[in-house]
């Protein structure tokens, strides 16, 4: 039987400076199962820097569940955790967690919405968190940039000029950078100007290119604002609620219309410039979009 590790929804995105408990459930097939002994953890960031030393003890949180209390992280980053233990034989599992600058909505706000309130059996907390993550990903992917701060690491060619362009728009903080393995100093980082289109311009030096390329590494925070505007927060709540209700809807997934006592009702369909089946949400997302519309 194959073994699996499932990181809890609450552990996938954690807030900057917030101490959080990472929780992972281990399965043999579909059954949660304890390790034969202790389970340890080690955590590194995207640059390979140790955040938690390998071999650090975890705690038991129930059958097959192991937890680790992670101290608050002041910088945004992507963390890779390696969980090690013995389930018949020695095994290792990896999970990823992102430290983020904010959220568009909260589980409590979603729980208070019509048809979700009080329905903890139908919509447990983990599903609510999953729905929020889904809504934020749809919004960010379509608009082209998040409205709160996120972490990014780019590995790219040098340009032999003062200017280089990252893969994300609205960089706000250059956390670290290196050229051909040599890290930029704090003064060099502070003398790098960041522009909304993703461009980063050094004051007195260049982003040197050396063979065979991919010699520049950029770690930065990005996002078009520090707090999502109210209409985007409404979109996130509305889309998360819709996503939850769709899981228990009696309407077939492929239906394009339904018949009721009011007559035939056409169901809105997502498309190239309609990222969701919710027309009011689509109007707001198109108004905020940084990407050009798709044209045929």
């Amino acid at each position: 039987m194959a073994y699996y590790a499932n990181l809890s929804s609450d552990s996938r995105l954690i807030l900057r400076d917030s101490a959080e408990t990472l929780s992972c459930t281990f399965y043999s097939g579909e059954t949660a199962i304890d390790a034969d002994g202790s389970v340890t953890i080690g955590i590194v960031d995207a640059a390979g820097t140790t955040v938690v030393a390998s071999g650090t003890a975890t705690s038991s949180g129930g059958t097959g569940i192991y937890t680790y209390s992670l101290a608050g992280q002041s910088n945004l980053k992507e963390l890779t955790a390696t969980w090690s233990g013995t389930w018949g034989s020695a095994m290792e599992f990896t999970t990823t967690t992102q430290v983020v600058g904010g959220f568009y909505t909260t589980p409590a706000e979603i729980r208070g919405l019509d048809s979700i309130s009080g329905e903890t059996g139908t919509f447990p907390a983990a599903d609510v968190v999953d729905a929020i993550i889904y809504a934020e990903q749809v919004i960010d992917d379509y608009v082209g940039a998040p409205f709160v701060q996120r972490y990014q690491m780019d590995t790219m060619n040098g340009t032999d000029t003062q200017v280089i362009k990252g893969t994300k728009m609205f960089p706000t903080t250059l956390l670290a950078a290196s050229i051909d393995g040599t890290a930029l100093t704090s003064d060099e980082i502070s003398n790098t100007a960041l522009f909304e289109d993703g461009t980063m311009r050094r004051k007195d030096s260049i982003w040197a290119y050396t063979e065979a390329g991919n010699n520049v590494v950029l770690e930065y925070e990005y996002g078009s604002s520090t707090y999502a505007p109210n209409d985007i927060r409404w979109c996130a709540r509305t889309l998360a609620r819709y996503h939850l209700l769709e899981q228990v809807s009696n309407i077939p997934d492929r239906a394009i219309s339904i018949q009721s006592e009011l007559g035939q009702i056409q169901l809105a369909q997502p498309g190239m410039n309609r990222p969701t089946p919710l027309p009011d949400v689509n109007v707001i997302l198109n108004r905020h979009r940084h990407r050009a519309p798709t044209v045929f």
Side-chain angles (χ1 to χ4, degrees):
M1 183 67 71
Y3 288 82
Y4 305 90
N6 183 30
L7 192 68
S8 74
S9 299
D10 284 338
S11 300
R12 295 176 197 165
L13 300 177
I14 59 178
L15 194 62
R16 185 204 308 264
D17 292 322
S18 176
E20 294 287 349
T21 297
L22 305 183
S23 177
C24 191
T25 305
F26 297 87
Y27 294 90
S28 174
E30 298 181 27
T31 304
I33 185 170
D34 286 332
D36 298 337
S38 61
V39 172
T40 62
I41 192 173
I43 302 177
V44 298
D45 64 18
T49 303
T50 297
V51 176
V52 175
S54 179
T56 300
T58 65
S59 301
S60 175
T63 301
I65 302 173
Y66 294 87
T67 64
Y68 176 76
S69 296
L70 180 67
Q73 305 293 305
S74 58
N75 287 332
L76 304 191
K77 59 187 69 177
E78 184 173 287
L79 303 175
T80 298
T82 301
W83 308 75
S84 304
T86 300
W87 289 265
S89 58
M91 299 184 188
E92 288 187 345
F93 300 88
T94 59
T95 61
T96 58
T97 297
Q98 271 218 16
V99 181
V100 300
F103 302 100
Y104 296 169
T105 186
T106 66
E109 288 178 318
I110 303 302
R111 181 66 70 193
L113 297 176
D114 181 48
S115 301
I116 308 298
S117 178
E119 300 293 338
T120 55
T122 304
F123 307 114
D127 288 355
V128 173
V129 174
D130 278 339
I132 292 173
I133 294 174
Y134 165 81
E136 291 185 352
Q137 288 175 336
V138 169
I139 292 170
D140 291 353
D141 182 65
Y142 185 73
V143 170
F147 292 89
V148 292
Q149 303 303 293
R150 294 288 187 261
Y151 167 85
Q152 178 67 19
M153 183 173 78
D154 293 336
T155 300
M156 55 182 52
N157 291 333
T159 60
D160 278 339
T161 70
Q162 290 175 267
V163 175
I164 198 168
K165 189 172 184 179
T167 61
K168 302 297 184 182
M169 298 177 64
F170 301 101
T172 56
T173 303
L174 182 59
L175 299 170
S178 65
I179 302 174
D180 207 25
T182 300
L184 269 63
T185 66
S186 58
D187 284 343
E188 289 175 317
I189 288 177
S190 64
N191 284 326
T192 301
L194 309 179
F195 299 89
E196 289 185 353
D197 66 351
T199 297
M200 303 183 191
R201 183 182 182 89
R202 301 187 68 185
K203 182 179 180 181
D204 299 312
S205 302
I206 65 171
W207 300 98
Y209 174 86
T210 58
E211 292 290 351
N214 270 358
N215 61 307
V216 174
V217 178
L218 307 171
E219 292 185 79
Y220 56 97
E221 299 178 6
Y222 71 102
S224 61
S225 62
T226 56
Y227 187 79
N230 285 336
D231 54 354
I232 290 296
R233 289 173 54 81
W234 176 85
C235 287
R237 293 194 301 270
T238 302
L239 186 55
R241 175 181 179 272
Y242 172 82
H243 183 67
L244 288 167
L245 294 176
E246 274 293 283
Q247 311 311 307
V248 296
S249 172
N250 291 324
I251 299 175
D253 292 341
R254 295 164 59 184
I256 59 175
S257 66
I258 57 175
Q259 187 73 34
S260 74
E261 66 275 11
L262 300 176
Q264 189 175 57
I265 301 173
Q266 297 294 320
L267 302 177
Q269 300 296 311
M272 283 297 181
N273 298 313
R274 300 185 304 276
T276 80
L278 306 173
D280 289 350
V281 169
N282 295 340
V283 168
I284 293 172
L285 297 189
N286 277 306
R287 188 164 66 236
H288 283 280
R289 199 176 192 198
H290 301 296
R291 290 175 174 163
T294 302
V295 178
F296 292 96

